[in-house]
C-alpha cells in the first residue's frame, strides 16, 4: 500500500514538475532506504520511449504498413481487382473467338476462291479447245453433198421424205447461234468407217409422219411438235434446269406430281415439287426437298419414287428416295467423264444424262476409252449397277442434247438455233445407228435439257429460263 502511494505521489510530482526545468524527488523504497531522484525534462522529447527499442518500433510500423497493403490487396481490394481480372479475361476470350472466326472465314473464302479459279481455268481450257476445234473444222473442205442419194443407185427408187438430199444439206450446214456452222454436221459425218457410209445412205429412210403412226407402241420418232411453254423461271438460278414427272409415281406423291430443279450455282440441292402442271405453271410448289448431296448438270430424272442424279464433281450416281427423304443408293458410273470432261455442246457440266423410258433407267455419257463418243448404259434402278452398255460413234460434245424413247437414243443438233433438227438415232435393240432429220425448235435460244417423259409421252425441255414441252409422234413399230 505504501509503495502504491509512493508511486502515485511520485507520478504527481513528475507531472507537476514536468513544467519545470529540474526537480528533486525523495522517498523510501521497499526496504525502507531513502532514495533521491533528480529529474530533468528532455530538451527534444515530450514523452519517454517505451521499453522496446526504436528498431522494434520501426519494424512494427513497417509491419503495420505491410498489413495495410496486404489488406488492400487481398482484403477489401480483392473484389474489384478480381472483377477487373475477370473482365479482362472475358474480353481476351471474346477477342480470341473473333479472331478464330475471322481466320476460319478467311480460310473458307480462300478455298472458295481457289475452287473458282480452278473452274475458271477449266473453262479457259475448254474455250481454247473449242476454238481450236472450230478452226480445224473450218479449215476442212466441205463434204460433198451429192453422194448422199446417188442418182444412179437403187436408192433413187426409194421414196424420199421431205427431199432427202435437201435435208442432208440442211443437217450439215445449218449454223447454230454460236456460228459453229460445221459442228452440227460433224457428229455423224466425221467418221470414215464403213458403217458411216452406210449411215449416210440411210438418211432418207425416215418413216413418214402421216398415216403410219402408232402412239401406243414403241416405233421410231417421226415428228416433234411446237414448243409449249409452261413456266418461266423466277430468277437467274433458273436459266438452266431440269423438270420431271415420275411415270410410276409412289405415294405420298400423286401421279400428276411435277418436280423441278434450277441448276445454276455450285450448291444445287433444292428439289421443288408441284401437285400438277397447273401448280407448276402458277409457280406454287407444294413440296421443297433439300438434297443431302449437291447435284451437277441437268441430267437428273425421277422414277418409281426416287430422284436419280449425278453428285456434283464426281461420277457418283445417287438414288434419292422421295418419300423417305434419304439416299437409297449410291454408285459410281464406271469410267464416266464428269464436270466438263464430256459435256453436250453447250457445256453446263452435262457429262452424265439420266433418263427413263419404256425400258427403264438409262445413262448417257462418255469415257476416255470411248474418246468422247456417246456411251449408253442401262442401269438397275435399285442398285444403279450398269446392266449393259452400248458405244456409239457420235461424239457427245458435237450434239446439244439427247433423249431416249423405247430404247432408241436421239440426238439434237443445236441447243441455240431456233430451227434445228434431231439428227441421229441409235437403237439399242440392234446396236445400229443412223442419221435422221426431224425438225426441232429451240424457242428461247438456249436449251439446256431435253428428255423424253414417259408419264406424258412428251419431250420435256428447259430452254433459257423456260419450262417447255413438245408433243411427239412415233412411227409404227417395225417387225423384226
Ligand atoms: Ca437429256
Amino acid at each position: 500500500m505504501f509503495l502504491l502511494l509512493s508511486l502515485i505521489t511520485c507520478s504527481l510530482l513528475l507531472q507537476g514538475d514536468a513544467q519545470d526545468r529540474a526537480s528533486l524527488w525523495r522517498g523510501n523504497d521497499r526496504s525502507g532506504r531513502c532514495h533521491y531522484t533528480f529529474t530533468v525534462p528532455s530538451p527534444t522529447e515530450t514523452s519517454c520511449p517505451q521499453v522496446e527499442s526504436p528498431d522494434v518500433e520501426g519494424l512494427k510500423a513497417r509491419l503495420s504498413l505491410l498489413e495495410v497493403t496486404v489488406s488492400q490487396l487481398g482484403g477489401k481490394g480483392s473484389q474489384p481487382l478480381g472483377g477487373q481480372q475477370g473482365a479482362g479475361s472475358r474480353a481476351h476470350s471474346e477477342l480470341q473467338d473473333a479472331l478464330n472466326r475471322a481466320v476460319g472465314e478467311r480460310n473458307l473464302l480462300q478455298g472458295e476462291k481457289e475452287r473458282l479459279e480452278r473452274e475458271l481455268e477449266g473453262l479457259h481450257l475448254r474455250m481454247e479447245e473449242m476454238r481450236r476445234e472450230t478452226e480445224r473444222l473450218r479449215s476442212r473442205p466441205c463434204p460433198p453433198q451429192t453422194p448422199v442419194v446417188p442418182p444412179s443407185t437403187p436408192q433413187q427408187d426409194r421414196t424420199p421424205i421431205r427431199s432427202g438430199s435437201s435435208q442432208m444439206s440442211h443437217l450439215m450446214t445449218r449454223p447454230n447461234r454460236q456460228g459453229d456452222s460445221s459442228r452440227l454436221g460433224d457428229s455423224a459425218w466425221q467418221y470414215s468407217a464403213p458403217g458411216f457410209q452406210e449411215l449416210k445412205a440411210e438418211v432418207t429412210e425416215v418413216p413418214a409422219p402421216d398415216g403410219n403412226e402408232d402412239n401406243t407402241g414403241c416405233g421410231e420418232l417421226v415428228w416433234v411438235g411446237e414448243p409449249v411453254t409452261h413456266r418461266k423461271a423466277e430468277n437467274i438460278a433458273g436459266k438452266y434446269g431440269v423438270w420431271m414427272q415420275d411415270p410410276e409415281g409412289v405415294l405420298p406423291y400423286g401421279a400428276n406430281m411435277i418436280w423441278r430443279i434450277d441448276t445454276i450455282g455450285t450448291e444445287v440441292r433444292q428439289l421443288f415439287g408441284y401437285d400438277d402442271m397447273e401448280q407448276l405453271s402458277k409457280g406454287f410448289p407444294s413440296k421443297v426437298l433439300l438434297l443431302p448431296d449437291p447435284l451437277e448438270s441437268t441430267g437428273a430424272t425421277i422414277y418409281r419414287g426416287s430422284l436419280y442424279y449425278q453428285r456434283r464433281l464426281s461420277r457418283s450416281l445417287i438414288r434419292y428416295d422421295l418419300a423417305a427423304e434419304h439416299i437409297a443408293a449410291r454408285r459410281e458410273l464406271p469410267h464416266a467423264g464428269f464436270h466438263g470432261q464430256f459435256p453436250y455442246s453447250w457445256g453446263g457440266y452435262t457429262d452424265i444424262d439420266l433418263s427413263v423410258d419404256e425400258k427403264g433407267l438409262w445413262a448417257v455419257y462418255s469415257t476416255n476409252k470411248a474418246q468422247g463418243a456417246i456411251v449408253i448404259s442401262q442401269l438397275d434402278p435399285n442398285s444403279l449397277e450398269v446392266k449393259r452398255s452400248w458405244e456409239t460413234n457420235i461424239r457427245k460434245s458435237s450434239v446439244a442434247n439427247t433423249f431416249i424413247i423405247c430404247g432408241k437414243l436421239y440426238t439434237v443438233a443445236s441447243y441455240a438455233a431456233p430451227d434445228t433438227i434431231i439428227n441421229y438415232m441409235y437403237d439399242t435393240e440392234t446396236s445400229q445407228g443412223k442419221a435422221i432429220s426431224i425438225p426441232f425448235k429451240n424457242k428461247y435460244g438456249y436449251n439446256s435439257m431435253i428428255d423424253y417423259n414417259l408419264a406424258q409421252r412428251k419431250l420435256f425441255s428447259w430452254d433459257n429460263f423456260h419450262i417447255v414441252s413438245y408433243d411427239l409422234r412415233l412411227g409404227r413399230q417395225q417387225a423384226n
Side-chain angles (χ1 to χ4, degrees), residues 21-291:
R21 298 293 300 170
S23 63
L24 180 65
W25 178 75
R26 187 184 66 172
N28 292 325
D29 63 5
R30 282 187 177 181
S31 61
R33 292 186 63 182
C34 178
H35 282 251
Y36 288 89
T37 305
F38 185 68
T39 305
V40 177
S42 167
T44 59
E45 295 172 322
T46 56
S47 62
C48 290
Q50 298 302 314
V51 289
E52 289 92 350
S53 69
D55 291 341
V56 174
E57 287 300 305
L59 284 173
K60 275 188 175 179
R62 290 167 63 187
L63 183 60
S64 177
L65 281 172
L66 281 171
E67 284 174 350
V68 170
T69 304
V70 169
S71 173
Q72 287 177 345
L73 290 173
K76 293 180 180 177
S78 65
Q79 186 61 33
L81 188 60
Q84 289 173 4
Q85 286 175 340
S89 177
R90 280 195 300 276
H92 182 266
S93 175
E94 287 172 1
L95 280 172
Q96 189 64 45
D97 288 345
L99 178 63
N100 291 340
R101 281 197 303 274
V103 169
E105 288 173 4
R106 185 200 64 183
N107 291 340
L108 276 176
L109 288 172
Q110 186 70 27
E112 185 69 5
K113 180 187 168 194
E114 289 172 1
R115 188 187 60 75
L116 288 171
E117 284 174 347
R118 285 195 301 275
E119 282 195 8
L120 184 63
E121 187 180 349
L123 285 172
H124 282 154
L125 287 173
R126 178 161 166 72
M127 279 180 61
E128 179 61 20
E129 181 186 327
M130 291 179 73
R131 187 188 61 76
R132 285 199 301 269
E133 187 181 344
T134 303
E135 287 178 358
R136 182 179 63 79
L137 292 169
R138 280 181 175 153
S139 66
R140 293 197 321 190
C142 292
Q145 298 180 13
T146 48
V148 174
V149 185
S152 59
T153 66
Q155 296 284 345
Q156 191 178 22
D157 298 330
R158 300 184 181 181
T159 304
I161 305 302
R162 296 179 184 174
S163 175
S165 59
S166 65
Q167 281 191 3
M168 188 64 180
S169 172
H170 170 81
L171 173 64
M172 297 178 68
T173 59
R174 178 183 299 280
N176 63 17
R177 182 160 293 182
Q178 283 63 44
D180 185 3
S181 60
S182 57
R183 178 183 290 278
L184 301 184
D186 185 55
S187 58
W189 325 120
Q190 62 184 318
Y191 300 94
S192 56
F196 164 60
Q197 297 298 331
E198 182 183 354
L199 183 96
K200 283 202 298 185
E202 289 179 342
V203 168
T204 58
E205 294 185 87
V206 176
D210 300 319
N212 197 23
E213 297 167 12
D214 181 5
N215 286 331
T216 59
C218 254
E220 284 186 21
L221 178 70
V222 293
W223 174 84
V224 173
E226 294 287 314
V228 177
T229 306
H230 302 283
R231 175 77 186 171
K232 182 179 181 183
E234 297 77 9
N235 52 53
I236 184 63
K239 179 171 173 61
Y240 314 141
V242 54
W243 70 294
M244 305 153 282
Q245 183 174 357
D246 194 338
E248 299 180 30
V250 172
L251 291 174
Y253 303 110
N256 295 325
M257 195 80 178
I258 303 290
W259 299 90
R260 161 189 173 179
I261 304 173
D262 296 351
T263 60
I264 287 275
T266 55
E267 284 291 316
V268 179
R269 295 174 60 193
Q270 283 188 320
L271 173 65
F272 296 94
Y274 302 84
D275 286 342
D276 50 35
M277 290 295 292
E278 184 180 352
Q279 294 304 306
L280 171 76
S281 298
K282 291 177 178 174
F284 297 148
S286 59
K287 184 75 179 178
V288 181
L289 293 171
L290 194 63
L291 303 174

Side-chain angles (χ1 to χ4, degrees), residues 421-451:
I421 55 169
I422 296 161
N423 61 349
Y424 186 80
M425 186 274 285
Y426 184 92
D427 191 346
T428 57
E429 277 286 322
T430 61
S431 299
Q432 298 292 319
K434 65 179 180 180
I436 58 174
S437 182
I438 300 172
F440 183 91
K441 292 189 175 175
N442 294 309
K443 184 173 181 181
Y444 300 102
Y446 209 101
N447 211 329
S448 61
M449 167 243 164
I450 306 171
D451 263 339

Side-chain angles (χ1 to χ4, degrees), residues 344 353 401-403 450-451:
Y344 291 131
D353 189 4
N401 216 307
T402 71
F403 54 91
I450 306 171
D451 263 339

Side-chain angles (χ1 to χ4, degrees), residues 246-357:
D246 194 338
E248 299 180 30
V250 172
L251 291 174
Y253 303 110
N256 295 325
M257 195 80 178
I258 303 290
W259 299 90
R260 161 189 173 179
I261 304 173
D262 296 351
T263 60
I264 287 275
T266 55
E267 284 291 316
V268 179
R269 295 174 60 193
Q270 283 188 320
L271 173 65
F272 296 94
Y274 302 84
D275 286 342
D276 50 35
M277 290 295 292
E278 184 180 352
Q279 294 304 306
L280 171 76
S281 298
K282 291 177 178 174
F284 297 148
S286 59
K287 184 75 179 178
V288 181
L289 293 171
L290 194 63
L291 303 174
D293 285 357
L295 65 73
E296 192 163 82
S297 163
T298 57
T301 193
I302 284 187
Y303 188 43
R304 293 178 178 170
S306 288
L307 172 77
Y308 295 81
Y309 69 95
Q310 174 204 344
R311 191 194 186 284
R312 183 171 179 270
L313 283 171
S314 79
R315 59 173 63 91
S316 288
L317 302 182
I318 288 175
R319 177 162 80 86
Y320 178 78
D321 189 307
L322 295 171
E325 299 184 12
H326 67 66
I327 293 177
R330 184 198 299 264
R331 184 178 296 272
E332 285 203 344
L333 184 58
H335 312 297
F338 61 92
H339 202 63
Q341 194 177 0
F342 302 117
Y344 291 131
S345 57
W346 71 275
Y349 301 140
T350 47
D351 297 70
I352 299 176
D353 189 4
L354 301 169
S355 63
V356 169
D357 76 347

